[in-house]
Amino acid sequence: MRRTEAEDHGPVRYGPPPPSDGLPVLPELVRVLSGAAGRPDGEPVGGGTALLDAARGYWERRGVPGGAGRTVAGPGAPALLLALTAAIGGDVLVPRPCAAWWAPYARLLGRPVFHVPTPAECGGVPDPYALLETVRRVRAEGGDPRLLVLSVADDPTATVAPPEVLHEAVEAAAGEGLHLVSDETWRDTMHAPHDTVLVGPAEMLPERVTVVGDLAGALLPAGWPAAVARFPATADGDDLHARVLDVLTALGARVAAPVAAAAAYALTEPGPVTARVAAAVRLHACAADALHGVVVGAGGLALPPRAGRHLYVDLEPLRAALAARGVGDAQDLEDHLSARLGMPAPGGHRFGDDLAALRVRLSTGMLLDGTDAQRAECLTAPAPLELPHVQRASARVRSVFDDLRDDARRREPPR
């Protein structure tokens, strides 16, 4: 799990890995995948009947019904977003910051990408007034904004957008005629689902929203690429579905048959899968709270994590201490923390944030590093943060941030 070797710093060739759950693969998923490994026939482009039926059932249980012919599957959410961007055309708008993989796919197609600031209370959703101003400016300069990508449960900020904030953004986007792609990869990883209200854009404006979910968020290992998309139940939605299938066909973008079998099984949410998801969410929520406490205790800034397996940190208050270590921007911060922590710590510039800002995404997986047996033990331990290997990892992280805090205090002018 640990990785310290150098990575390329190019905008496309380097992509920070999504936050991994760091846990052994669920045995029931292994059995399903292994049982389908001998299938001589491949999965059709867009997904076979079993996978698409399972996806429709999954969304219906979440209040977003998807009829026959309005669902597709692909080998990961990036392939689906690439196909959607190609099919919709025009310029693309995304929040700042946003998931690292959103913008490169538009740029590969030669489509301009415009970042829109987010409100103070959450990430993943653009501020509605900033969105309107950005659309106005882009059109005044001859652009053609057509697509807004957003996420209610967000990577990188680990926040969940309040329904009223989302509603204002959705109304602004609809008023400008934008199509919305809602990346709901992390919707099943809310840390306190009974205390946090998650309402998706498709529940507010079903005729203009395509929902995309990468199953690596909660249901499948990251190494088994599979994602599903649900299109609006309109004539335009049917047309978009057909054009996306055309793009996927041209790319040969199929879900591998054994992975499709495992994905269909996971999407039906049998007992073993739901139990594992719940246990993993509890574990990473606990780790995220601990990581948040370390960062804030050292003087850093971070919104409380509400979903996912990550934390988005602003270390501007520690700039002087970091400058003494040769850190002046987000790339320097990425290099410094990745080396000190022994884990990837991608800078905010990877997520469309300002290079000059000292922001970084940290993964809760760094606290769970160890053997497969040790990681599995974390799932069942009544106090996982007290396990010896977790304490060692926590001490390493705490030492890094405590050093910065102590150095910052020494540099404070005398009162």
Side-chain angles (χ1 to χ4, degrees):
M1 185 175 178
R2 185 174 299 180
R3 193 181 71 195
T4 58
E5 64 267 20
E7 295 280 359
D8 192 281
H9 294 329
V12 174
R13 288 168 290 163
Y14 175 90
S20 169
D21 70 359
L23 300 170
V25 180
L26 186 67
E28 287 80 2
L29 286 175
V30 174
R31 283 196 286 271
V32 173
L33 183 135
S34 299
R39 283 173 46 183
D41 54 321
E43 190 80 356
V45 172
T49 301
L51 178 53
L52 298 185
D53 285 346
R56 284 192 288 270
Y58 170 87
W59 273 313
E60 286 172 1
R61 291 190 294 275
R62 286 154 179 79
V64 188
R70 296 195 175 96
T71 307
V72 300
L80 294 182
L81 184 58
L82 174 65
L84 280 161
T85 305
I88 293 170
D91 302 341
V92 180
L93 298 117
V94 296
R96 183 192 298 275
C98 70
W101 55 273
W102 288 359
Y105 290 93
R107 295 191 180 111
L108 284 173
L109 293 169
R111 304 285 164 73
V113 178
F114 298 93
H115 291 267
V116 185
T118 56
E121 60 264 51
C122 67
V125 175
D127 176 88
Y129 299 103
L131 176 64
L132 293 173
E133 175 58 24
T134 302
V135 170
R136 183 203 63 77
R137 175 175 54 82
V138 170
R139 287 179 175 152
E141 295 173 355
D144 182 21
R146 297 188 197 177
L147 174 62
L148 170 64
V149 188
L150 49 75
S151 58
V152 181
D154 185 46
D155 171 20
T157 65
T159 58
V160 176
E164 61 274 15
V165 172
L166 176 65
H167 187 265
E168 291 178 357
V170 168
E171 279 196 330
E176 295 299 328
L178 303 178
H179 188 86
L180 284 75
V181 170
S182 176
D183 177 8
E184 301 189 1
T185 295
W186 301 100
R187 72 168 297 152
D188 292 329
T189 66
M190 288 194 300
H191 297 172
H194 298 296
D195 300 328
T196 306
V197 178
L198 188 151
V199 179
E203 297 165 70
M204 299 177 177
L205 194 69
E207 68 274 13
R208 298 197 70 87
V209 179
T210 297
V211 181
V212 174
D214 197 307
L215 303 193
L219 298 177
L220 289 182
W224 300 5
V228 288
R230 178 263 186 199
F231 295 83
T234 63
D236 287 343
D238 292 341
D239 182 58
L240 180 58
H241 172 263
R243 283 182 283 140
V244 165
L245 281 177
D246 287 342
V247 176
L248 294 176
T249 300
L251 295 173
R254 308 167 186 261
V255 183
V259 174
Y265 172 77
L267 284 165
T268 61
E269 299 180 287
V273 170
T274 55
R276 166 56 75 87
V277 170
V281 169
R282 285 194 301 269
L283 173 62
H284 283 279
C286 184
D289 285 342
L291 191 57
H292 183 263
V294 169
V295 169
V296 173
L301 304 174
L303 289 171
R306 303 296 186 202
R309 305 185 284 260
H310 49 282
L311 186 72
Y312 199 60
V313 177
D314 186 345
L315 296 180
E316 182 62 33
L318 302 175
R319 179 174 285 275
L322 286 163
R325 292 162 167 79
V327 175
D329 60 22
Q331 180 61 69
D332 295 336
L333 183 62
E334 174 183 302
D335 295 340
H336 176 75
L337 288 181
S338 295
R340 290 293 308 277
L341 297 171
M343 292 286 290
H349 61 304
R350 304 295 184 187
F351 309 99
D353 222 333
D354 184 1
L355 176 63
L358 295 179
R359 300 190 185 111
V360 65
R361 188 191 69 186
L362 303 177
S363 171
T364 53
M366 70 175 67
L367 300 184
L368 311 178
D369 198 15
T371 66
D372 283 350
Q374 288 173 327
R375 294 179 193 140
E377 185 182 8
C378 291
L379 284 169
T380 56
L385 296 186
E386 296 179 10
L387 293 172
H389 74 282
V390 178
Q391 288 190 328
R392 287 192 295 271
S394 299
R396 181 176 68 245
V397 174
R398 188 175 297 107
S399 174
V400 170
F401 284 95
D402 284 353
D403 285 349
L404 290 173
R405 178 201 61 199
D406 294 343
D407 195 7
R409 288 176 177 173
R410 283 194 295 270
R411 293 172 183 278
E412 289 179 355
R415 296 180 180 178

